[in-house]
Amino acid sequence: MNVMKIYKLLLLCALPALGLLSSCEDMDENYKQYEVEDIYSGKVLNLVAKVGFESAVLVWDNPQDQVSKGIEIVAIGNDTVTYSFDFATLTPNTTDLEIYAADSVRINNLNQGTAYSMTVYTVDAYGNRSIDVSVPVMPLSQEAYDALIPPICAGTIDEDGNTAINFQGLTALSFNFAGTITYKVFDTDANLCGEGVATAETVNEEGDNIAVSTLVAAVPGLKPDTQYKVQFDTKVIPLSGNAPIEDTVTLHSESNLYVSISGISSLDYTMGDGWVEVSYQQPKNELAKTILVTSDAFPTGKLELPNTADSEGGKFRVDGLTANKAVKFTVARVDENGKASDAMSIDATPATQAQLNTITNPTLSISTDILGYMTLNASNFGDNSQFKTKGDADDKTNLKFIIEDEAGNDVFNDVITFPVGEGSFSLGLSQLDTEATYTVKYEFECYPKINGRTSEDSFVLRRAHTIENGSISAGSPIDSIE
């Protein structure tokens, strides 16, 4: 075989081998993309940024792979800072990075007063980064903190009667109360007069937030109308938009404080035959030393009552009031310096015979039946706006009723009985002459009503009416029906 033939055979054999080598190289290229994806670590998921005071809290979900070995966070504000840690030791690269867990951290000293872009990567063992995931965050700055308007306070009396501080404005549009106030009270000579910590629950049993706007703290022993200075620190949670941030901050406040005696809370009275009894309600108050009542009903124009600071109420009675008119009483509390609280007044009207004579009820009228006989119609003998009829042991009203002719002879004399509260009836008068004149007299016991109050003493109401020409006159008071 000559050399040329041998060369051709070798060439023919080499061509398939070259094609096979070329196919293997193409196959390697096809798999190379998968090998590259396996090299890089997976990206974080569900990245959330929460606002803090000159800080931000980042929370995310780490990928479920074997390649990710740590985290890098790039914070871009006015400058760029990188924070990192590895999963094995959770050791931060700077003290400004506070690690809670492999998927949650706090970054402190974000004090540029600007919005930040937080970009989070996972990194592999060689420092290669994953695909980036970013979120914006605007930390609460010192400037924004300084713009918060702190709570205020005023002097008050607590429900136990102690002098106290009323802290106000604890929840505002820019912050929520965090539940604690630390305070100190000084007099004008800088002597400490009281201190303490006032607390309030800000979350209920269901875990819902409670908006606490005021809080009272007792500081017993403060003097009335004396200036004090209060220094207090209030823990609050600032709001970012409508959401509370992650941090509690302290607002410092200073205010002048005065406590004053408070007045009574209500006045009322009961009344009877020539007397009134005035009652008052008051919150407890350690500053109250006496109760001062002024009225023309007293010979000296005033009445001083003992200290009632430990009682929630009191009363006084005035007798000998015979005039049909209201008596004004003005009630105030007085402190140790003789200074009176705001006063409260009431007009009290006793029940008197003079007042009874002004009553217009009951009412009587005359009608005729189908036979032409007279019928006396009575109404408002029972309970009405002017009196309450007195009943007997059986809760019946006994009305003594007499009709006399012109000569004074009894035409009708009987006791009419009806249930208390009713008092309407009709009485046939067929025995009466429609052309004659008669006198109708009656009496019964009742409790007069004045200004919506019912007398505690009963009176005998007596009236006389005249029947003439088939009609009856309005009643007139009389002393006796005999």
Side-chain angles (χ1 to χ4, degrees):
M1 184 178 296
N2 61 36
V3 174
M4 183 60 68
K5 288 183 177 180
I6 294 172
Y7 175 78
K8 289 181 178 179
L9 287 174
L10 291 173
L11 182 61
L12 290 174
C13 291
L15 288 175
L18 290 172
L20 182 61
L21 289 172
S22 176
S23 297
C24 290
E25 290 178 0
D26 290 343
M27 187 177 298
D28 287 343
E29 289 297 325
N30 289 335
Y31 280 102
K32 188 174 293 183
Q33 60 177 314
Y34 299 105
E35 292 175 356
V36 169
E37 286 186 0
D38 285 341
I39 291 172
Y40 291 103
S41 58
K43 69 178 182 179
V44 301
L45 301 173
N46 303 318
L47 176 62
V48 175
K50 301 178 182 180
V51 176
F53 176 54
E54 295 191 333
S55 66
V57 174
L58 303 179
V59 179
W60 64 85
D61 294 329
N62 282 318
Q64 301 296 314
D65 61 26
Q66 301 299 317
V67 178
S68 302
K69 301 301 181 183
I71 293 291
E72 279 192 10
I73 302 168
V74 178
I76 302 175
N78 292 335
D79 53 18
T80 301
V81 181
T82 300
Y83 308 88
S84 63
F85 66 91
D86 63 87
F87 292 148
T89 64
L90 299 182
T91 301
N93 69 325
T94 171
T95 56
D96 288 341
L97 180 63
E98 189 176 345
I99 300 172
Y100 298 147
D103 53 7
S104 59
V105 301
R106 177 189 287 269
I107 301 175
N108 295 309
N109 287 322
L110 301 177
N111 52 19
Q112 298 175 8
T114 186
Y116 288 80
S117 174
M118 297 291 179
T119 302
V120 180
Y121 306 87
T122 64
V123 293
D124 63 15
Y126 305 101
N128 298 309
R129 291 175 171 176
S130 69
I131 296 173
D132 62 291
V133 179
S134 298
V135 66
V137 63
M138 181 73 175
L140 179 71
S141 65
Q142 181 67 43
E143 182 180 8
Y145 166 81
D146 292 338
L148 295 175
I149 299 176
I152 60 175
C153 71
T156 189
I157 304 295
D158 70 10
E159 60 183 11
D160 294 321
N162 300 307
T163 52
I165 308 171
N166 183 13
F167 297 103
Q168 304 168 23
L170 304 183
T171 293
L173 294 176
S174 55
F175 56 80
N176 293 335
F177 181 47
T180 303
I181 301 175
T182 303
Y183 61 89
K184 290 184 177 181
V185 182
F186 301 91
D187 63 18
T188 53
D189 295 325
N191 297 311
L192 182 65
C193 301
E195 62 181 325
V197 178
T199 61
E201 294 293 333
T202 58
V203 179
N204 61 21
E205 294 180 355
E206 290 74 29
D208 299 322
N209 292 327
I210 303 171
V212 178
S213 58
T214 63
L215 184 59
V216 174
V219 186
L222 299 182
K223 299 297 182 181
D225 299 308
T226 301
Q227 180 175 311
Y228 297 91
K229 180 179 291 185
V230 183
Q231 296 175 348
F232 59 102
D233 295 335
T234 308
K235 297 290 187 181
V236 301
I237 304 172
L239 302 179
S240 176
N242 294 323
I245 72 168
E246 292 297 295
D247 294 326
T248 297
V249 300
T250 300
L251 298 181
H252 307 286
S253 306
E254 184 174 297
S255 177
N256 291 331
L257 181 75
Y258 296 85
V259 290
S260 298
I261 184 172
S262 57
I264 62 174
S265 57
S266 65
L267 276 179
D268 201 356
Y269 74 93
T270 57
M271 52 86 176
D273 187 2
W275 60 266
V276 294
E277 184 173 84
V278 179
S279 59
Y280 49 88
Q281 294 295 319
Q282 60 172 346
K284 295 179 180 179
N285 190 325
E286 67 171 301
L287 302 179
K289 301 305 178 184
T290 58
I291 299 292
L292 177 65
V293 185
T294 56
S295 174
D296 291 339
F298 306 126
T300 61
K302 64 180 181 180
L303 172 69
E304 269 194 278
L305 302 174
N307 174 29
T308 56
D310 297 328
S311 172
E312 294 187 354
K315 58 186 177 181
F316 58 90
R317 174 169 166 151
V318 181
D319 294 288
L321 304 173
T322 58
N324 180 29
K325 66 177 183 179
V327 181
K328 184 175 183 178
F329 296 94
T330 300
V331 184
R333 300 201 290 190
V334 179
D335 65 23
E336 62 184 13
N337 298 322
K339 185 171 182 178
S341 68
D342 292 338
M344 185 175 288
S345 298
I346 192 169
D347 293 328
T349 305
T352 63
Q353 187 63 47
Q355 186 276 332
L356 192 72
N357 292 339
T358 66
I359 290 176
T360 58
N361 284 336
T363 56
L364 299 178
S365 64
I366 297 293
S367 62
T368 56
D369 61 17
I370 59 174
L371 299 177
Y373 296 120
M374 285 192 293
T375 300
L376 186 145
N377 304 300
S379 60
N380 292 323
F381 273 93
D383 193 4
N384 57 74
S385 62
Q386 297 182 349
F387 58 79
K388 176 182 178 181
T389 309
K390 183 178 181 180
D392 59 16
D394 297 323
D395 209 22
K396 300 290 186 181
T397 295
N398 298 308
L399 171 66
K400 189 174 183 180
F401 204 86
I402 298 173
I403 302 177
E404 298 175 344
D405 60 18
E406 287 185 282
N409 300 311
D410 288 352
V411 178
F412 180 91
N413 190 329
D414 200 358
V415 175
I416 300 174
T417 301
F418 49 85
V420 170
E422 291 187 10
S424 296
F425 60 90
S426 294
L427 185 65
L429 302 176
S430 59
Q431 71 273 38
L432 300 188
D433 182 355
T434 56
E435 302 297 327
T437 299
Y438 300 92
T439 299
V440 177
K441 300 177 181 179
Y442 56 82
E443 71 175 20
F444 62 96
E445 288 190 80
C446 68
Y447 301 94
K449 294 182 179 180
I450 308 171
N451 299 328
R453 294 169 175 82
T454 302
S455 170
E456 295 189 4
D457 295 325
S458 64
F459 289 71
V460 178
L461 189 149
R462 298 181 180 91
R463 290 286 188 272
H465 301 254
T466 299
I467 298 176
E468 188 173 11
N469 298 323
S471 63
I472 191 167
S473 68
S476 300
I478 55 177
D479 294 330
S480 174
I481 66 170
E482 298 299 335

